[in-house]
Amino acid sequence: MASSSLSRYQSKRDFNKTAEPSGDTIVAPSGRRRFVIQKHAASRLHYDFRLELDGVFKSWAVTRGPSLDPKEKRLAVEVEDHPLAYGDFEGTIPKGQYGGGTVMIWDRGYWTPEGDESPEEALKKGTLKFRLDGEKLHGSWVLVRMKRDHSGGKRTNWLLIKHRDEFARENDGDAILREDRSVASGRTMDQIAAGKGSRPKPFMLKTKKAAPPDAVWNSNRTDTAKPRASKATTQICPPSDCNATLSNTTISCRTGLSCL
Ligand code: MN
C-alpha cells in the first residue's frame, strides 16, 4: 500500500541521481500516528500538513497556515503522499527544483482520529475529524473535502478547521503563526536558509544523529519540467484570476486551477 501510494511522489523525483531518501530510509516505529507541519517558503509560502497513515504521510498544502479560530476555514490543497522520512527534513530545496525554497519543521507530534470510522474511511468520505497533540497545535480539528469545481480543476481542495474547544482562539487564530521557530531546531526561517544554527532533532527517523544545519533536499525536478508532468504538479491560479470566498467555501479560478 505504502509503495503504490508513494509512486506519485517518486515519479516527480529521480532517485538514481542523488542520495535523496526514496521512502526506504529507516523510520522509527511508533505506537501512535505522527504528524508534521513543515513551513515551506516556496514560490508561494505555505504550510505542509502531514498526517501519518498506513506507512506514508497524507499531505496537504495549507496556504495561509492553520488557524486556531473555528470561524477561519483554511484552504488545504491535497498533494501527493510523502515518505515518512521526509518529515525530518529541515533545510533548503534548491531554487528551480520542485518546491524550491526553505523548509522549517514548524510543528510535530501525534494525531488521533476522532469518531467511530477508520481514518481511511473518513478520508474517503471527505470528513476527517482528529485530535492533535503537537508542540504548537492541540485539540480537535477537522479536514473537510470540498466539491470539485465544475471547471475540472485538477486539485482536490479541503478545508482545515479548528473545532471549538479549550485550545481554540476566537478572533486571534493567527497568533499561533507568530510562534515562528522550528520545533526541531529552534531556528528561524532566516537561520535555516543560511544553513546556520542548531541541528534539527530527529523525530521520524531511527537515527540518533541529527542532520546538519545546512541540509539540502534535491527534488531533482525543475519547475519548468515537461508539460506532461503538470497533472501531478501543484498548479496554482494567479490571485488576479481567483474569486475566493472562504466563508461560504466558494473558490473558483478563471483558468480552472486551484486558488490559494
Ligand atoms: Mn510544500
Side-chain angles (χ1 to χ4, degrees), residues 82-95:
H82 273 60
L84 295 179
Y86 187 72
D88 272 1
F89 175 68
E90 177 170 281
T92 300
I93 301 171
K95 293 261 181 283

mmCIF file with all atom_site columns, all heavy atoms in Angstrom, residues 82-95:
data_model
loop_
_atom_site.group_PDB
_atom_site.id
_atom_site.type_symbol
_atom_site.label_atom_id
_atom_site.label_alt_id
_atom_site.label_comp_id
_atom_site.label_asym_id
_atom_site.label_entity_id
_atom_site.label_seq_id
_atom_site.pdbx_PDB_ins_code
_atom_site.Cartn_x
_atom_site.Cartn_y
_atom_site.Cartn_z
_atom_site.occupancy
_atom_site.B_iso_or_equiv
_atom_site.pdbx_formal_charge
_atom_site.auth_seq_id
_atom_site.auth_comp_id
_atom_site.auth_asym_id
_atom_site.auth_atom_id
_atom_site.pdbx_PDB_model_num
ATOM 1   N N   . HIS A 1 82 ? 3.750  11.659 0.981  1.00 0.00 ? 82 HIS A N   1
ATOM 2   C CA  . HIS A 1 82 ? 5.190  11.823 1.142  1.00 0.00 ? 82 HIS A CA  1
ATOM 3   C C   . HIS A 1 82 ? 5.743  10.695 2.012  1.00 0.00 ? 82 HIS A C   1
ATOM 4   O O   . HIS A 1 82 ? 5.037  10.175 2.878  1.00 0.00 ? 82 HIS A O   1
ATOM 5   C CB  . HIS A 1 82 ? 5.511  13.178 1.778  1.00 0.00 ? 82 HIS A CB  1
ATOM 6   C CG  . HIS A 1 82 ? 5.640  14.278 0.767  1.00 0.00 ? 82 HIS A CG  1
ATOM 7   N ND1 . HIS A 1 82 ? 4.604  14.627 -0.068 1.00 0.00 ? 82 HIS A ND1 1
ATOM 8   C CD2 . HIS A 1 82 ? 6.671  15.097 0.456  1.00 0.00 ? 82 HIS A CD2 1
ATOM 9   C CE1 . HIS A 1 82 ? 5.005  15.611 -0.858 1.00 0.00 ? 82 HIS A CE1 1
ATOM 10  N NE2 . HIS A 1 82 ? 6.252  15.930 -0.567 1.00 0.00 ? 82 HIS A NE2 1
ATOM 11  N N   . PRO A 1 83 ? 7.005  10.323 1.827  1.00 0.00 ? 83 PRO A N   1
ATOM 12  C CA  . PRO A 1 83 ? 7.610  9.307  2.693  1.00 0.00 ? 83 PRO A CA  1
ATOM 13  C C   . PRO A 1 83 ? 7.724  9.833  4.121  1.00 0.00 ? 83 PRO A C   1
ATOM 14  O O   . PRO A 1 83 ? 7.954  11.035 4.321  1.00 0.00 ? 83 PRO A O   1
ATOM 15  C CB  . PRO A 1 83 ? 9.010  9.097  2.092  1.00 0.00 ? 83 PRO A CB  1
ATOM 16  C CG  . PRO A 1 83 ? 9.134  9.976  0.911  1.00 0.00 ? 83 PRO A CG  1
ATOM 17  C CD  . PRO A 1 83 ? 7.953  10.879 0.836  1.00 0.00 ? 83 PRO A CD  1
ATOM 18  N N   . LEU A 1 84 ? 7.586  8.951  5.085  1.00 0.00 ? 84 LEU A N   1
ATOM 19  C CA  . LEU A 1 84 ? 7.661  9.370  6.487  1.00 0.00 ? 84 LEU A CA  1
ATOM 20  C C   . LEU A 1 84 ? 9.006  10.035 6.783  1.00 0.00 ? 84 LEU A C   1
ATOM 21  O O   . LEU A 1 84 ? 9.095  10.972 7.579  1.00 0.00 ? 84 LEU A O   1
ATOM 22  C CB  . LEU A 1 84 ? 7.447  8.171  7.410  1.00 0.00 ? 84 LEU A CB  1
ATOM 23  C CG  . LEU A 1 84 ? 6.046  7.534  7.345  1.00 0.00 ? 84 LEU A CG  1
ATOM 24  C CD1 . LEU A 1 84 ? 5.972  6.334  8.288  1.00 0.00 ? 84 LEU A CD1 1
ATOM 25  C CD2 . LEU A 1 84 ? 4.952  8.546  7.691  1.00 0.00 ? 84 LEU A CD2 1
ATOM 26  N N   . ALA A 1 85 ? 10.064 9.556  6.126  1.00 0.00 ? 85 ALA A N   1
ATOM 27  C CA  . ALA A 1 85 ? 11.401 10.108 6.378  1.00 0.00 ? 85 ALA A CA  1
ATOM 28  C C   . ALA A 1 85 ? 11.463 11.603 6.058  1.00 0.00 ? 85 ALA A C   1
ATOM 29  O O   . ALA A 1 85 ? 12.243 12.340 6.668  1.00 0.00 ? 85 ALA A O   1
ATOM 30  C CB  . ALA A 1 85 ? 12.433 9.358  5.542  1.00 0.00 ? 85 ALA A CB  1
ATOM 31  N N   . TYR A 1 86 ? 10.635 12.050 5.133  1.00 0.00 ? 86 TYR A N   1
ATOM 32  C CA  . TYR A 1 86 ? 10.684 13.458 4.754  1.00 0.00 ? 86 TYR A CA  1
ATOM 33  C C   . TYR A 1 86 ? 10.264 14.369 5.919  1.00 0.00 ? 86 TYR A C   1
ATOM 34  O O   . TYR A 1 86 ? 10.633 15.539 5.969  1.00 0.00 ? 86 TYR A O   1
ATOM 35  C CB  . TYR A 1 86 ? 9.788  13.725 3.535  1.00 0.00 ? 86 TYR A CB  1
ATOM 36  C CG  . TYR A 1 86 ? 9.930  15.129 3.014  1.00 0.00 ? 86 TYR A CG  1
ATOM 37  C CD1 . TYR A 1 86 ? 11.076 15.529 2.343  1.00 0.00 ? 86 TYR A CD1 1
ATOM 38  C CD2 . TYR A 1 86 ? 8.924  16.072 3.233  1.00 0.00 ? 86 TYR A CD2 1
ATOM 39  C CE1 . TYR A 1 86 ? 11.231 16.827 1.896  1.00 0.00 ? 86 TYR A CE1 1
ATOM 40  C CE2 . TYR A 1 86 ? 9.066  17.370 2.777  1.00 0.00 ? 86 TYR A CE2 1
ATOM 41  C CZ  . TYR A 1 86 ? 10.213 17.743 2.110  1.00 0.00 ? 86 TYR A CZ  1
ATOM 42  O OH  . TYR A 1 86 ? 10.378 19.028 1.675  1.00 0.00 ? 86 TYR A OH  1
ATOM 43  N N   . GLY A 1 87 ? 9.531  13.806 6.855  1.00 0.00 ? 87 GLY A N   1
ATOM 44  C CA  . GLY A 1 87 ? 9.073  14.592 8.000  1.00 0.00 ? 87 GLY A CA  1
ATOM 45  C C   . GLY A 1 87 ? 10.194 15.122 8.871  1.00 0.00 ? 87 GLY A C   1
ATOM 46  O O   . GLY A 1 87 ? 9.994  16.022 9.667  1.00 0.00 ? 87 GLY A O   1
ATOM 47  N N   . ASP A 1 88 ? 11.378 14.561 8.735  1.00 0.00 ? 88 ASP A N   1
ATOM 48  C CA  . ASP A 1 88 ? 12.528 15.062 9.490  1.00 0.00 ? 88 ASP A CA  1
ATOM 49  C C   . ASP A 1 88 ? 13.327 16.098 8.715  1.00 0.00 ? 88 ASP A C   1
ATOM 50  O O   . ASP A 1 88 ? 14.318 16.630 9.231  1.00 0.00 ? 88 ASP A O   1
ATOM 51  C CB  . ASP A 1 88 ? 13.474 13.913 9.880  1.00 0.00 ? 88 ASP A CB  1
ATOM 52  C CG  . ASP A 1 88 ? 13.072 13.268 11.204 1.00 0.00 ? 88 ASP A CG  1
ATOM 53  O OD1 . ASP A 1 88 ? 12.058 13.711 11.793 1.00 0.00 ? 88 ASP A OD1 1
ATOM 54  O OD2 . ASP A 1 88 ? 13.759 12.327 11.647 1.00 0.00 ? 88 ASP A OD2 1
ATOM 55  N N   . PHE A 1 89 ? 12.898 16.383 7.489  1.00 0.00 ? 89 PHE A N   1
ATOM 56  C CA  . PHE A 1 89 ? 13.713 17.308 6.701  1.00 0.00 ? 89 PHE A CA  1
ATOM 57  C C   . PHE A 1 89 ? 13.458 18.769 7.080  1.00 0.00 ? 89 PHE A C   1
ATOM 58  O O   . PHE A 1 89 ? 12.334 19.243 7.101  1.00 0.00 ? 89 PHE A O   1
ATOM 59  C CB  . PHE A 1 89 ? 13.470 17.153 5.200  1.00 0.00 ? 89 PHE A CB  1
ATOM 60  C CG  . PHE A 1 89 ? 14.229 18.184 4.406  1.00 0.00 ? 89 PHE A CG  1
ATOM 61  C CD1 . PHE A 1 89 ? 15.619 18.131 4.352  1.00 0.00 ? 89 PHE A CD1 1
ATOM 62  C CD2 . PHE A 1 89 ? 13.579 19.226 3.777  1.00 0.00 ? 89 PHE A CD2 1
ATOM 63  C CE1 . PHE A 1 89 ? 16.339 19.110 3.673  1.00 0.00 ? 89 PHE A CE1 1
ATOM 64  C CE2 . PHE A 1 89 ? 14.289 20.197 3.087  1.00 0.00 ? 89 PHE A CE2 1
ATOM 65  C CZ  . PHE A 1 89 ? 15.662 20.136 3.034  1.00 0.00 ? 89 PHE A CZ  1
ATOM 66  N N   . GLU A 1 90 ? 14.555 19.444 7.350  1.00 0.00 ? 90 GLU A N   1
ATOM 67  C CA  . GLU A 1 90 ? 14.538 20.896 7.546  1.00 0.00 ? 90 GLU A CA  1
ATOM 68  C C   . GLU A 1 90 ? 15.772 21.432 6.844  1.00 0.00 ? 90 GLU A C   1
ATOM 69  O O   . GLU A 1 90 ? 16.877 20.945 7.067  1.00 0.00 ? 90 GLU A O   1
ATOM 70  C CB  . GLU A 1 90 ? 14.583 21.225 9.038  1.00 0.00 ? 90 GLU A CB  1
ATOM 71  C CG  . GLU A 1 90 ? 14.636 22.727 9.325  1.00 0.00 ? 90 GLU A CG  1
ATOM 72  C CD  . GLU A 1 90 ? 14.425 23.035 10.799 1.00 0.00 ? 90 GLU A CD  1
ATOM 73  O OE1 . GLU A 1 90 ? 13.276 23.024 11.255 1.00 0.00 ? 90 GLU A OE1 1
ATOM 74  O OE2 . GLU A 1 90 ? 15.430 23.261 11.503 1.00 0.00 ? 90 GLU A OE2 1
ATOM 75  N N   . GLY A 1 91 ? 15.588 22.402 5.980  1.00 0.00 ? 91 GLY A N   1
ATOM 76  C CA  . GLY A 1 91 ? 16.722 22.920 5.233  1.00 0.00 ? 91 GLY A CA  1
ATOM 77  C C   . GLY A 1 91 ? 16.262 23.585 3.958  1.00 0.00 ? 91 GLY A C   1
ATOM 78  O O   . GLY A 1 91 ? 15.260 24.293 3.958  1.00 0.00 ? 91 GLY A O   1
ATOM 79  N N   . THR A 1 92 ? 16.998 23.298 2.884  1.00 0.00 ? 92 THR A N   1
ATOM 80  C CA  . THR A 1 92 ? 16.766 24.015 1.644  1.00 0.00 ? 92 THR A CA  1
ATOM 81  C C   . THR A 1 92 ? 16.569 23.053 0.484  1.00 0.00 ? 92 THR A C   1
ATOM 82  O O   . THR A 1 92 ? 17.319 22.095 0.334  1.00 0.00 ? 92 THR A O   1
ATOM 83  C CB  . THR A 1 92 ? 17.976 24.920 1.345  1.00 0.00 ? 92 THR A CB  1
ATOM 84  O OG1 . THR A 1 92 ? 18.112 25.831 2.440  1.00 0.00 ? 92 THR A OG1 1
ATOM 85  C CG2 . THR A 1 92 ? 17.766 25.722 0.070  1.00 0.00 ? 92 THR A CG2 1
ATOM 86  N N   . ILE A 1 93 ? 15.555 23.311 -0.314 1.00 0.00 ? 93 ILE A N   1
ATOM 87  C CA  . ILE A 1 93 ? 15.406 22.661 -1.615 1.00 0.00 ? 93 ILE A CA  1
ATOM 88  C C   . ILE A 1 93 ? 15.911 23.684 -2.629 1.00 0.00 ? 93 ILE A C   1
ATOM 89  O O   . ILE A 1 93 ? 15.461 24.829 -2.621 1.00 0.00 ? 93 ILE A O   1
ATOM 90  C CB  . ILE A 1 93 ? 13.925 22.295 -1.894 1.00 0.00 ? 93 ILE A CB  1
ATOM 91  C CG1 . ILE A 1 93 ? 13.387 21.353 -0.812 1.00 0.00 ? 93 ILE A CG1 1
ATOM 92  C CG2 . ILE A 1 93 ? 13.776 21.675 -3.283 1.00 0.00 ? 93 ILE A CG2 1
ATOM 93  C CD1 . ILE A 1 93 ? 11.888 21.107 -0.888 1.00 0.00 ? 93 ILE A CD1 1
ATOM 94  N N   . PRO A 1 94 ? 16.896 23.284 -3.454 1.00 0.00 ? 94 PRO A N   1
ATOM 95  C CA  . PRO A 1 94 ? 17.498 24.277 -4.354 1.00 0.00 ? 94 PRO A CA  1
ATOM 96  C C   . PRO A 1 94 ? 16.467 24.973 -5.237 1.00 0.00 ? 94 PRO A C   1
ATOM 97  O O   . PRO A 1 94 ? 15.495 24.371 -5.676 1.00 0.00 ? 94 PRO A O   1
ATOM 98  C CB  . PRO A 1 94 ? 18.466 23.435 -5.197 1.00 0.00 ? 94 PRO A CB  1
ATOM 99  C CG  . PRO A 1 94 ? 18.779 22.253 -4.340 1.00 0.00 ? 94 PRO A CG  1
ATOM 100 C CD  . PRO A 1 94 ? 17.531 21.966 -3.564 1.00 0.00 ? 94 PRO A CD  1
ATOM 101 N N   . LYS A 1 95 ? 16.705 26.252 -5.462 1.00 0.00 ? 95 LYS A N   1
ATOM 102 C CA  . LYS A 1 95 ? 15.841 27.048 -6.348 1.00 0.00 ? 95 LYS A CA  1
ATOM 103 C C   . LYS A 1 95 ? 15.776 26.408 -7.728 1.00 0.00 ? 95 LYS A C   1
ATOM 104 O O   . LYS A 1 95 ? 16.739 25.830 -8.201 1.00 0.00 ? 95 LYS A O   1
ATOM 105 C CB  . LYS A 1 95 ? 16.400 28.462 -6.489 1.00 0.00 ? 95 LYS A CB  1
ATOM 106 C CG  . LYS A 1 95 ? 16.338 29.287 -5.209 1.00 0.00 ? 95 LYS A CG  1
ATOM 107 C CD  . LYS A 1 95 ? 15.129 30.219 -5.226 1.00 0.00 ? 95 LYS A CD  1
ATOM 108 C CE  . LYS A 1 95 ? 15.053 31.079 -3.956 1.00 0.00 ? 95 LYS A CE  1
ATOM 109 N NZ  . LYS A 1 95 ? 14.551 30.315 -2.791 1.00 0.00 ? 95 LYS A NZ  1
#
